[in-house]
Amino acid sequence: MFKWGSKSYSLDDVFGLSEKPKEDCPTYIIRDVHEQFQYLIEHDNRHIVVYGASKQGKTWLIERYCKSYVRIGCDPKNSREMLFRAILQQLGENVGNVETNSVGEVSGEAGATAKIGIKAGIEVGTDLTGKVVGKATEGNKLTYTNINLESTDEVIRAIKENISNNFIVLENFHYLKQEVQKEFATALREFLFHNIRVIIVGVWKESTKVNALVPDLGDRVETVDIGDWTPDELRKIVSEGENALKIKISDEIVDKFIDISGRNVGMFKSVLKSFCFRNRVFKTNDRVVQLADITISEQAIQKSYEEAITPAIARIHKLASMRSGSKGLRYYIVRAILDFMSDSTVDQIVDGIPVEQVIKTIKDYNEEVFQDSNIKQELGLLHLREETIDVNYIPLFYFDSGKGKVLIVDSSLVAATRYDILNLRDVLGPKEQYIKNS
């Protein structure tokens, strides 16, 4: 017989999606991937790459099992030297070129060299772009270390002096330019030689991505695929949540939420939280409450659609746009992907779209003629085309040339195929709408 819990929780405790998991979160489900990661943290000596689609629990995984680390958030504007400086700053090692004036104001550009033992007490703020701004304060002393950030050896020596038992976590590695990814990856072998371990976190679905950047890393890097959540795992979240809040959600509604979530735990918990909120369940009830209102469930689904899927659809239109005079290859690629998704099951979509299918679909349109090689080349750049200079976007699609498949990276698009109010086949208009004027 099912036994209801006795502890009291808030709705956010149970179905919330904060950056860090709560210590006793009742719906934190231990999966095989969690056990793999825990083993690598505690018993292995390699670097770790955690990868997979958005909102699948990568950050929570690290927070749960990696108890000691410094975190660096990557940005498209970062160089390798900026990343090195950020790591050292997180470890308490200040690197920069700073000047003070007579009234104690300090400013300058952080660079490869620095003044050592500045006499005046200085309160300084720095960021990854290298800007240093602050003011002198009495009773404080900030010492800057002279480190050549272009020298991996010098950086490693400085890290070793401060790293202790910390891991270095690079979040959003996929935001870095390709050349910066490769430049940083070349340092990983030397890092490992000095027992400095790095956890790279990225939104992609290619197991060999980092090894492909620097082939001689060999088995010095272990990959962890966060994967997609199974229906049974999602049902376990519901079961634990029901126990914590003393509620019972109808099987029909649970099945619907699983179907529209696209195997994505973030989408799933979001719609569960919205559903409970609309049922006025804000904390653990005094007695078991039945939740079976279909109308309220549809309202919760609509809210998730507006928050996650609508922005993704807007990006689809931008991705399909091309310069004036082009034949619209990218438009046809996006159209072929959406057509495949419209006709496929969630399992087929999650598995990836065979490149041969994309090529065949474009040819079947019988509107423009493209070489297979040109289609594959454009697919290889697709995850970069939608980006802008000032906004960090998770790619919508990623072409894994090794597997010969187009992978759906933004899980909200998988969920979109399950919404009755949207047909992905009808998202794009005529090609002429997507050819930009010169």
Side-chain angles (χ1 to χ4, degrees):
M1 184 176 179
F2 191 83
K3 183 178 180 180
W4 298 98
S6 58
K7 186 175 180 178
S8 181
Y9 296 91
S10 71
L11 175 58
D12 194 60
D13 290 336
V14 178
F15 293 133
L17 292 169
S18 58
E19 283 298 310
K20 297 182 179 181
K22 298 183 184 298
E23 193 66 30
D24 60 345
C25 176
T27 55
Y28 193 94
I29 306 302
I30 307 300
R31 308 163 70 209
D32 289 344
V33 66
H34 294 80
E35 295 176 350
Q36 294 168 10
F37 182 78
Q38 184 177 15
Y39 172 81
L40 292 172
I41 288 290
E42 296 176 355
H43 304 292
D44 206 89
N45 62 353
R46 290 172 289 180
H47 300 304
I48 305 171
V49 176
V50 182
Y51 70 98
S54 60
K55 302 176 184 176
Q56 293 287 42
K58 296 184 294 297
T59 301
W60 275 31
L61 176 70
I62 295 169
E63 285 286 344
R64 183 82 171 203
Y65 295 106
C66 187
K67 302 301 182 183
S68 182
Y69 69 85
V70 293
R71 177 187 178 277
I72 310 299
C74 298
D75 184 277
K77 298 177 182 178
N78 294 157
S79 65
R80 187 183 76 153
E81 288 68 34
M82 287 179 180
L83 293 174
F84 282 166
R85 180 169 58 243
I87 291 169
L88 290 169
Q89 288 174 337
Q90 288 294 318
L91 293 171
E93 191 73 73
N94 299 294
V95 182
N97 186 12
V98 180
E99 297 178 357
T100 57
N101 60 24
S102 59
V103 296
E105 293 178 346
V106 57
S107 64
E109 297 295 328
T113 60
K115 296 180 179 180
I116 302 176
I118 297 174
K119 294 181 180 179
I122 302 174
E123 184 180 88
V124 178
T126 59
D127 60 24
L128 281 182
T129 65
K131 187 68 179 178
V132 182
V133 179
K135 63 180 180 180
T137 59
E138 293 190 11
N140 296 319
K141 183 178 180 181
L142 188 60
T143 300
Y144 277 73
T145 307
N146 186 13
I147 299 171
N148 181 1
L149 294 174
E150 295 180 356
S151 169
T152 302
D153 290 339
E154 285 195 36
V155 170
I156 286 176
R157 282 197 295 270
I159 291 175
K160 283 182 67 176
E161 292 177 2
N162 298 278
I163 192 70
S164 186
N165 294 319
N166 287 304
F167 282 79
I168 297 170
V169 176
L170 292 182
E171 288 269 11
N172 299 322
F173 193 74
H174 54 279
Y175 286 158
L176 298 173
K177 294 178 181 177
Q178 188 77 4
E179 58 267 26
V180 177
Q181 292 182 22
K182 185 170 184 176
E183 288 171 357
F184 188 89
T186 58
L188 289 178
R189 181 174 180 177
E190 197 65 19
F191 272 37
L192 202 59
F193 182 81
H194 293 278
N195 297 315
I196 301 170
R197 295 180 67 191
V198 177
I199 300 173
I200 290 176
V201 187
V203 175
W204 62 78
K205 289 193 173 186
E206 185 179 17
S207 62
T208 59
K209 180 176 176 65
V210 173
N211 282 339
L213 294 171
V214 184
D216 76 342
L217 283 175
D219 71 13
R220 295 174 176 87
V221 174
E222 183 60 53
T223 58
V224 176
D225 182 1
I226 196 68
D228 296 292
W229 289 63
T230 67
D232 285 345
E233 289 171 336
L234 297 178
R235 287 191 180 90
K236 188 173 182 181
I237 288 176
V238 174
S239 177
E240 297 296 336
E242 288 176 332
N243 182 43
L245 293 172
K246 288 189 179 179
I247 59 176
K248 184 67 180 78
I249 304 174
S250 73
D251 292 341
E252 180 184 359
I253 289 176
V254 171
D255 289 343
K256 180 64 175 177
F257 287 172
I258 290 174
D259 187 49
I260 60 92
S261 69
R263 305 288 191 271
N264 183 276
V265 69
M267 293 284 294
F268 186 64
K269 293 185 76 172
S270 175
V271 74
L272 282 170
K273 182 179 178 181
S274 179
F275 178 65
C276 290
F277 184 86
R278 281 165 168 69
N279 276 286
R280 302 186 63 78
V281 175
F282 307 122
K283 61 181 181 179
T284 302
N285 292 295
D286 296 330
R287 57 181 178 79
V288 178
V289 175
Q290 302 289 329
L291 305 181
D293 192 316
I294 298 298
T295 300
I296 293 179
S297 73
E298 293 296 335
Q299 292 171 353
I301 290 171
Q302 179 66 24
K303 181 175 184 293
S304 294
Y305 172 87
E306 292 172 352
E307 291 180 348
I309 297 177
T310 300
I313 297 302
R315 291 176 58 205
I316 285 285
H317 290 292
K318 291 181 181 179
L319 181 59
S321 300
M322 300 189 70
R323 66 183 181 277
S324 177
S326 71
K327 295 169 66 177
L329 175 55
R330 203 181 324 142
Y331 161 83
Y332 285 110
I333 286 176
V334 174
R335 179 176 160 188
I337 291 172
L338 297 180
D339 285 352
F340 178 91
M341 295 178 68
S342 298
D343 296 333
S344 304
T345 66
V346 170
D347 289 336
Q348 289 172 324
I349 296 170
V350 168
D351 186 56
I353 307 171
V355 64
E356 293 82 4
Q357 181 64 48
V358 175
I359 293 172
K360 180 180 182 303
T361 302
I362 292 174
K363 289 181 178 179
D364 287 346
Y365 291 145
N366 198 28
E367 296 178 15
E368 296 284 357
V369 177
F370 301 101
Q371 296 298 318
D372 293 5
S373 58
N374 290 340
I375 295 175
K376 291 179 180 179
Q377 182 180 26
E378 184 63 33
L379 281 170
L381 299 172
L382 203 61
H383 65 289
L384 301 174
R385 297 297 194 191
E386 62 205 300
E387 308 299 337
T388 67
I389 295 175
D390 299 320
V391 181
N392 290 340
Y393 278 138
I394 294 170
L396 297 174
F397 312 112
Y398 185 87
F399 178 45
D400 186 337
S401 58
K403 296 180 180 178
K405 291 184 176 182
V406 178
L407 304 170
I408 314 304
V409 179
D410 191 322
S411 300
S412 63
L413 289 178
V414 183
T417 65
R418 316 312 300 161
Y419 282 84
D420 297 334
I421 58 178
L422 175 72
N423 186 339
L424 288 180
R425 188 185 297 280
D426 300 328
V427 166
L428 294 182
K431 182 185 69 172
E432 291 72 25
Q433 294 181 13
Y434 302 92
I435 304 300
K436 298 178 180 179
N437 295 324
S438 55

